[in-house]
Amino acid sequence: MLRFVDECRKEWRRLGVPDAVAGEMAADLEADLAEAQAEGVSPEAVLGNGFFDARSFAASWASARGVVPGAKRPQERPRWSRWALVLLAAVSFVVTLGGLAALGGGRQASVARVSIGHISASPFGGPHGVFIGPNLPSPVAFSHSAVFAVVGLLFVAAGLIGLALTLWLWRPWATRRRRRGFDDSVGLPSYL
Amino acid sequence: MLRMAVPGSRRSQLLRGVLDLCLLAVMDEGAAYGYEMTKRLAARGLSIVGEGSIYPLLGRLERDGLVDTRRAISNGGPPRKYYSLSRQGRKALAAGISEWQATREAVDSVLGRIKEEVG
């Protein structure tokens, strides 16, 4: 019986359970097992299957109590943060689409202007057979196109950053890792 | 491929779902330490021999704030950790009992019919 408690102590030490907590659990266990023995009750009746695997038993108990460093249970996120993530994803998506539309619109405007310039520049296209010369886009047209491109690029970049941020924030939920000694599906120690 | 659980395994699985509720229920009778709760369960025919231990479950209930704890001298023995229901634990117990009763009635209505046909 004492050997079982010692095995548990070793496991708790190995897991980094604080000495005070490990001492308290060991004392409770020892007192319970001693009382059971005095009443002629088998340790198995007190510890169940845990009696046959002290290390798993100790790890499960410590894990369930949340006293294993670095094995804290992932906290449930508040509802508002989920909605915030959904909102961030939606806004990012819309901003990305807006950016793409701005880029497409700027390019269309440029193409339209260049086409007009070509027709006007044709030596046979002048209304009076007069060579008009290349009809270059005006500086104002250039600045409009550039503004479209810059704003579009900025929007696309911001939208993509927003989508990436959403994925990064969402990842801990999707890749919640299974912890040793704990059954997430039912929230109970795995050997129970 | 689906496999039927062997009887022993089924008992374990059923117990997994309700043992925490049973612990809260025996605590409702009064504060108790670990082994004392095992005895209360056994007195009602719920032996954990061949099953898991209640200690990790008590740890989880404590961490979740469903039980309050205090150390006190037991009957002539060493100081023990006494567990009692917290306010949150009482609510969880009430909710759990409702869930259990609803589930039991539904399962009974399915299995009871088969039993009548077989019998």
Side-chain angles (χ1 to χ4, degrees), chain A residues 45-105:
Chain A
V46 182
L47 300 169
N49 285 335
F51 179 65
F52 302 107
D53 187 351
R55 287 183 61 183
S56 285
F57 168 80
S60 290
W61 192 2
S63 173
R65 277 194 65 172
V67 292
V68 180
K72 287 181 180 170
R73 204 177 187 185
Q75 290 184 339
E76 193 70 19
R77 304 229 176 169
R79 188 180 290 265
W80 67 263
S81 72
R82 294 179 187 194
W83 284 113
L85 267 188
V86 171
L87 190 66
L88 177 63
V91 169
S92 302
F93 185 68
V94 169
V95 167
T96 306
L97 282 185
L100 288 173
L103 279 176

Coordinates of all heavy atoms in Angstrom, one line a residue, chain A residues 45-105:
Chain A
A45 N -11.1 -2.0 -4.1 CA -12.4 -1.4 -3.8 C -12.4 0.1 -3.6 O -13.4 0.8 -3.8 CB -13.0 -2.1 -2.6
V46 N -11.2 0.6 -3.3 CA -11.0 2.0 -3.0 C -10.6 2.7 -4.3 O -11.0 3.8 -4.6 CB -10.0 2.3 -1.9 CG1 -9.9 3.8 -1.6 CG2 -10.4 1.6 -0.6
L47 N -9.7 2.1 -5.0 CA -9.0 2.7 -6.1 C -9.5 2.2 -7.5 O -9.1 2.7 -8.5 CB -7.5 2.5 -6.0 CG -6.8 3.1 -4.8 CD1 -5.4 2.6 -4.7 CD2 -6.9 4.6 -4.8
G48 N -10.3 1.2 -7.5 CA -10.7 0.6 -8.8 C -9.5 0.1 -9.5 O -8.6 -0.4 -9.0
N49 N -9.6 0.2 -10.9 CA -8.5 -0.3 -11.7 C -7.2 0.5 -11.5 O -6.1 0.1 -11.9 CB -8.9 -0.2 -13.2 CG -9.9 -1.2 -13.6 OD1 -9.9 -2.3 -12.9 ND2 -10.7 -1.0 -14.6
G50 N -7.3 1.7 -10.9 CA -6.2 2.5 -10.7 C -5.1 1.9 -9.8 O -3.9 2.2 -9.9
F51 N -5.6 0.9 -9.0 CA -4.7 0.2 -8.1 C -3.6 -0.6 -8.9 O -2.5 -0.8 -8.4 CB -5.4 -0.8 -7.2 CG -4.6 -1.5 -6.3 CD1 -3.9 -0.9 -5.2 CD2 -4.4 -2.9 -6.4 CE1 -3.1 -1.6 -4.4 CE2 -3.6 -3.6 -5.5 CZ -2.9 -2.9 -4.5
F52 N -3.9 -1.0 -10.1 CA -3.0 -1.8 -10.9 C -2.0 -0.9 -11.7 O -1.2 -1.4 -12.4 CB -3.7 -2.7 -11.8 CG -4.6 -3.6 -11.0 CD1 -6.0 -3.4 -11.0 CD2 -4.1 -4.6 -10.2 CE1 -6.9 -4.3 -10.3 CE2 -4.9 -5.4 -9.4 CZ -6.3 -5.3 -9.5
D53 N -2.2 0.4 -11.7 CA -1.4 1.3 -12.5 C -1.2 2.6 -11.8 O -1.9 3.6 -12.1 CB -2.0 1.5 -13.9 CG -1.0 2.2 -14.8 OD1 0.0 2.7 -14.3 OD2 -1.3 2.3 -16.0
A54 N -0.3 2.6 -10.8 CA -0.1 3.8 -10.0 C 0.2 5.0 -10.8 O -0.3 6.1 -10.5 CB 1.0 3.5 -8.9
R55 N 1.0 4.9 -11.8 CA 1.5 6.1 -12.5 C 0.3 6.7 -13.3 O 0.1 7.9 -13.3 CB 2.6 5.7 -13.5 CG 3.9 5.4 -12.8 CD 5.0 5.2 -13.7 NE 5.2 6.3 -14.6 CZ 6.1 6.3 -15.6 NH1 6.8 5.2 -15.9 NH2 6.2 7.3 -16.4
S56 N -0.5 5.9 -13.9 CA -1.7 6.4 -14.7 C -2.7 7.0 -13.7 O -3.2 8.1 -14.0 CB -2.4 5.3 -15.4 OG -1.7 5.0 -16.6
F57 N -2.9 6.3 -12.6 CA -3.8 6.8 -11.6 C -3.3 8.2 -11.1 O -4.1 9.2 -11.0 CB -3.8 5.8 -10.4 CG -4.5 6.4 -9.2 CD1 -5.9 6.4 -9.1 CD2 -3.8 6.9 -8.1 CE1 -6.5 6.9 -7.9 CE2 -4.4 7.4 -7.0 CZ -5.8 7.4 -6.9
A58 N -2.0 8.3 -10.7 CA -1.5 9.6 -10.2 C -1.6 10.7 -11.2 O -2.0 11.8 -10.9 CB 0.0 9.4 -9.8
A59 N -1.3 10.3 -12.5 CA -1.3 11.3 -13.6 C -2.7 11.8 -13.8 O -3.0 13.0 -14.0 CB -0.7 10.7 -14.8
S60 N -3.7 10.9 -13.8 CA -5.0 11.3 -14.0 C -5.6 12.2 -12.9 O -6.3 13.2 -13.2 CB -5.9 10.0 -14.1 OG -5.7 9.3 -15.3
W61 N -5.2 11.8 -11.7 CA -5.7 12.6 -10.6 C -5.2 14.0 -10.6 O -5.9 15.0 -10.5 CB -5.3 11.9 -9.3 CG -6.0 12.5 -8.0 CD1 -6.9 13.5 -8.0 CD2 -5.7 12.1 -6.7 NE1 -7.3 13.7 -6.7 CE2 -6.6 12.9 -5.9 CE3 -4.9 11.1 -6.1 CZ2 -6.6 12.7 -4.5 CZ3 -5.0 11.0 -4.7 CH2 -5.8 11.8 -3.9
A62 N -3.8 14.1 -10.9 CA -3.2 15.4 -10.9 C -3.7 16.3 -12.1 O -4.0 17.5 -12.0 CB -1.7 15.3 -11.0
S63 N -3.9 15.6 -13.2 CA -4.4 16.3 -14.4 C -5.8 16.8 -14.2 O -6.2 17.9 -14.5 CB -4.4 15.3 -15.6 OG -5.0 15.9 -16.7
A64 N -6.7 15.9 -13.5 CA -8.1 16.3 -13.3 C -8.1 17.5 -12.3 O -9.0 18.3 -12.4 CB -8.8 15.1 -12.7
R65 N -7.2 17.5 -11.4 CA -7.2 18.6 -10.4 C -6.6 19.9 -11.1 O -6.7 21.0 -10.5 CB -6.4 18.3 -9.2 CG -7.1 17.5 -8.2 CD -6.4 17.5 -6.9 NE -6.3 18.8 -6.2 CZ -5.8 19.0 -5.0 NH1 -5.4 17.9 -4.3 NH2 -5.8 20.2 -4.5
G66 N -6.0 19.7 -12.2 CA -5.4 20.9 -12.9 C -4.1 21.4 -12.2 O -3.8 22.6 -12.2
V67 N -3.3 20.4 -11.6 CA -2.1 20.8 -10.9 C -0.9 20.4 -11.7 O 0.2 20.4 -11.1 CB -2.1 20.3 -9.5 CG1 -3.2 21.0 -8.7 CG2 -2.3 18.8 -9.4
V68 N -1.0 19.9 -12.9 CA 0.1 19.5 -13.7 C 0.6 20.8 -14.5 O -0.2 21.2 -15.3 CB -0.2 18.4 -14.7 CG1 1.1 18.0 -15.4 CG2 -0.7 17.2 -13.9
P69 N 1.8 21.3 -14.3 CA 2.2 22.5 -15.0 C 2.2 22.2 -16.5 O 2.7 21.2 -16.9 CB 3.6 22.7 -14.5 CG 3.7 22.0 -13.2 CD 2.8 20.8 -13.3
G70 N 1.7 23.2 -17.2 CA 1.8 23.1 -18.7 C 0.7 22.2 -19.3 O 0.7 21.9 -20.5
A71 N -0.2 21.7 -18.4 CA -1.3 20.8 -18.9 C -2.6 21.4 -18.5 O -3.5 20.7 -18.2 CB -1.1 19.4 -18.4
K72 N -2.7 22.7 -18.6 CA -4.0 23.3 -18.2 C -5.0 23.0 -19.2 O -4.7 23.0 -20.4 CB -3.8 24.8 -18.0 CG -3.0 25.2 -16.8 CD -2.9 26.7 -16.7 CE -2.1 27.0 -15.4 NZ -1.8 28.5 -15.4
R73 N -6.2 22.9 -18.7 CA -7.3 22.6 -19.6 C -7.6 23.8 -20.5 O -7.7 24.9 -19.9 CB -8.5 22.2 -18.8 CG -9.6 21.4 -19.5 CD -10.6 21.1 -18.5 NE -11.6 20.1 -19.1 CZ -12.7 19.8 -18.5 NH1 -13.0 20.2 -17.3 NH2 -13.5 18.9 -19.1
P74 N -7.8 23.7 -21.8 CA -8.1 24.8 -22.6 C -9.5 25.4 -22.2 O -10.4 24.7 -22.0 CB -8.2 24.3 -24.0 CG -8.3 22.8 -23.9 CD -7.7 22.4 -22.6
Q75 N -9.4 26.7 -22.0 CA -10.6 27.4 -21.5 C -11.6 27.6 -22.6 O -11.2 27.8 -23.7 CB -10.3 28.7 -20.9 CG -9.5 28.6 -19.6 CD -9.2 29.9 -18.9 OE1 -9.3 30.9 -19.6 NE2 -9.0 29.9 -17.7
E76 N -12.8 27.5 -22.2 CA -13.9 27.7 -23.2 C -13.9 29.2 -23.5 O -13.9 30.0 -22.7 CB -15.2 27.3 -22.5 CG -16.4 27.2 -23.5 CD -16.2 26.0 -24.4 OE1 -15.5 25.1 -24.1 OE2 -16.9 26.0 -25.5
R77 N -14.0 29.5 -24.8 CA -14.0 30.9 -25.2 C -15.3 31.5 -25.0 O -16.3 30.8 -25.3 CB -13.5 31.0 -26.6 CG -12.2 30.4 -26.9 CD -11.3 31.3 -27.7 NE -10.0 30.6 -27.8 CZ -9.1 31.1 -28.6 NH1 -9.3 32.2 -29.3 NH2 -8.0 30.5 -28.7
P78 N -15.4 32.7 -24.6 CA -16.7 33.3 -24.5 C -17.4 33.5 -25.8 O -16.7 33.6 -26.9 CB -16.4 34.7 -23.9 CG -15.0 34.9 -24.1 CD -14.3 33.6 -24.2
R79 N -18.7 33.5 -25.8 CA -19.5 33.6 -27.0 C -19.1 34.8 -27.9 O -19.1 34.8 -29.1 CB -21.0 33.6 -26.7 CG -21.9 33.5 -27.9 CD -23.3 33.5 -27.4 NE -23.7 32.3 -26.6 CZ -24.2 31.2 -27.2 NH1 -24.5 31.2 -28.5 NH2 -24.5 30.2 -26.5
W80 N -18.9 36.0 -27.1 CA -18.6 37.2 -27.9 C -17.4 37.1 -28.8 O -17.3 37.6 -29.8 CB -18.5 38.4 -27.0 CG -17.3 38.4 -26.1 CD1 -17.3 38.0 -24.8 CD2 -16.0 38.8 -26.3 NE1 -16.1 38.1 -24.2 CE2 -15.2 38.6 -25.2 CE3 -15.4 39.3 -27.5 CZ2 -13.9 38.9 -25.1 CZ3 -14.0 39.6 -27.4 CH2 -13.3 39.4 -26.3
S81 N -16.4 36.3 -28.3 CA -15.1 36.2 -29.1 C -15.4 35.4 -30.3 O -14.7 35.6 -31.4 CB -14.0 35.6 -28.2 OG -14.2 34.3 -28.0
R82 N -16.3 34.4 -30.3 CA -16.6 33.7 -31.5 C -17.2 34.6 -32.5 O -16.9 34.6 -33.7 CB -17.5 32.5 -31.2 CG -16.9 31.5 -30.3 CD -17.9 30.4 -30.0 NE -17.3 29.5 -29.0 CZ -17.8 28.3 -28.7 NH1 -18.9 27.9 -29.3 NH2 -17.2 27.5 -27.8
W83 N -18.2 35.4 -32.0 CA -18.8 36.3 -33.0 C -17.9 37.3 -33.5 O -17.9 37.8 -34.7 CB -20.0 37.0 -32.3 CG -21.2 36.1 -32.1 CD1 -21.7 35.6 -31.0 CD2 -22.0 35.5 -33.2 NE1 -22.8 34.8 -31.2 CE2 -23.0 34.7 -32.6 CE3 -21.9 35.6 -34.6 CZ2 -23.9 34.0 -33.3 CZ3 -22.9 34.9 -35.3 CH2 -23.8 34.1 -34.7
A84 N -16.9 37.8 -32.7 CA -15.9 38.7 -33.1 C -15.1 38.1 -34.2 O -14.7 38.8 -35.2 CB -15.0 39.1 -31.9
L85 N -14.8 36.8 -34.1 CA -14.0 36.1 -35.1 C -14.8 36.0 -36.4 O -14.2 36.2 -37.5 CB -13.6 34.7 -34.6 CG -12.2 34.6 -33.9 CD1 -11.9 33.1 -33.7 CD2 -11.1 35.2 -34.8
V86 N -16.0 35.7 -36.3 CA -16.9 35.6 -37.5 C -17.0 36.9 -38.2 O -16.9 37.0 -39.4 CB -18.3 35.1 -37.1 CG1 -19.3 35.2 -38.2 CG2 -18.2 33.6 -36.6
L87 N -17.1 38.0 -37.4 CA -17.2 39.3 -37.9 C -15.9 39.7 -38.6 O -15.9 40.3 -39.7 CB -17.5 40.3 -36.8 CG -17.9 41.7 -37.2 CD1 -19.2 41.8 -38.0 CD2 -18.0 42.7 -36.0
L88 N -14.8 39.4 -38.0 CA -13.5 39.7 -38.6 C -13.3 39.0 -39.9 O -12.9 39.6 -40.9 CB -12.4 39.2 -37.6 CG -10.9 39.4 -38.1 CD1 -10.6 40.9 -38.3 CD2 -9.9 38.8 -37.1
A89 N -13.8 37.7 -39.9 CA -13.7 36.9 -41.2 C -14.5 37.6 -42.3 O -14.1 37.7 -43.4 CB -14.1 35.5 -40.9
A90 N -15.8 38.0 -41.9 CA -16.7 38.5 -42.9 C -16.1 39.9 -43.4 O -16.1 40.1 -44.6 CB -18.1 38.7 -42.2
V91 N -15.7 40.7 -42.5 CA -15.2 42.0 -42.9 C -13.9 41.8 -43.8 O -13.8 42.5 -44.8 CB -14.8 42.9 -41.6 CG1 -14.1 44.1 -42.0 CG2 -16.1 43.3 -40.9
S92 N -13.1 40.9 -43.4 CA -11.8 40.7 -44.2 C -12.2 40.2 -45.6 O -11.6 40.6 -46.6 CB -11.0 39.6 -43.5 OG -10.6 40.0 -42.2
F93 N -13.2 39.3 -45.7 CA -13.6 38.8 -47.0 C -14.2 39.9 -47.8 O -13.8 40.1 -49.0 CB -14.7 37.7 -46.7 CG -15.1 37.0 -48.0 CD1 -14.2 36.2 -48.7 CD2 -16.4 37.2 -48.5 CE1 -14.6 35.6 -49.8 CE2 -16.8 36.6 -49.7 CZ -15.9 35.8 -50.3
V94 N -15.0 40.8 -47.2 CA -15.6 41.9 -48.0 C -14.5 42.9 -48.5 O -14.5 43.3 -49.6 CB -16.7 42.6 -47.1 CG1 -17.1 43.9 -47.8 CG2 -17.9 41.7 -46.9
V95 N -13.6 43.2 -47.5 CA -12.5 44.1 -47.9 C -11.6 43.5 -49.0 O -11.3 44.2 -50.0 CB -11.6 44.4 -46.6 CG1 -10.3 45.1 -47.0 CG2 -12.4 45.2 -45.6
T96 N -11.4 42.2 -49.0 CA -10.6 41.6 -50.0 C -11.3 41.7 -51.4 O -10.7 42.1 -52.4 CB -10.4 40.1 -49.7 OG1 -9.8 40.0 -48.4 CG2 -9.4 39.5 -50.8
L97 N -12.6 41.4 -51.3 CA -13.4 41.5 -52.6 C -13.4 42.9 -53.1 O -13.3 43.2 -54.3 CB -14.9 41.0 -52.3 CG -15.1 39.5 -52.2 CD1 -16.6 39.2 -52.1 CD2 -14.6 38.8 -53.5
G98 N -13.6 43.9 -52.1 CA -13.6 45.3 -52.5 C -12.3 45.7 -53.2 O -12.2 46.4 -54.2
G99 N -11.2 45.2 -52.6 CA -9.9 45.5 -53.2 C -9.7 44.9 -54.6 O -9.2 45.6 -55.5
L100 N -10.2 43.7 -54.7 CA -10.1 43.0 -56.1 C -10.9 43.8 -57.1 O -10.5 44.0 -58.2 CB -10.5 41.6 -56.0 CG -9.6 40.6 -55.3 CD1 -10.2 39.2 -55.1 CD2 -8.3 40.5 -56.0
A101 N -12.1 44.2 -56.6 CA -13.0 45.0 -57.5 C -12.3 46.3 -57.9 O -12.4 46.7 -59.1 CB -14.3 45.3 -56.8
A102 N -11.7 47.0 -56.9 CA -11.0 48.2 -57.2 C -9.9 48.0 -58.2 O -9.7 48.8 -59.1 CB -10.5 48.8 -55.9
L103 N -9.1 46.9 -58.0 CA -8.0 46.6 -59.0 C -8.6 46.4 -60.4 O -8.1 46.9 -61.3 CB -7.3 45.4 -58.5 CG -6.2 45.6 -57.4 CD1 -5.6 44.3 -57.0 CD2 -5.1 46.5 -57.9
G104 N -9.7 45.6 -60.4 CA -10.3 45.3 -61.7 C -10.8 46.5 -62.4 O -10.7 46.8 -63.6
G105 N -11.5 47.4 -61.6 CA -12.1 48.6 -62.1 C -11.0 49.5 -62.6 O -11.2 50.1 -63.7

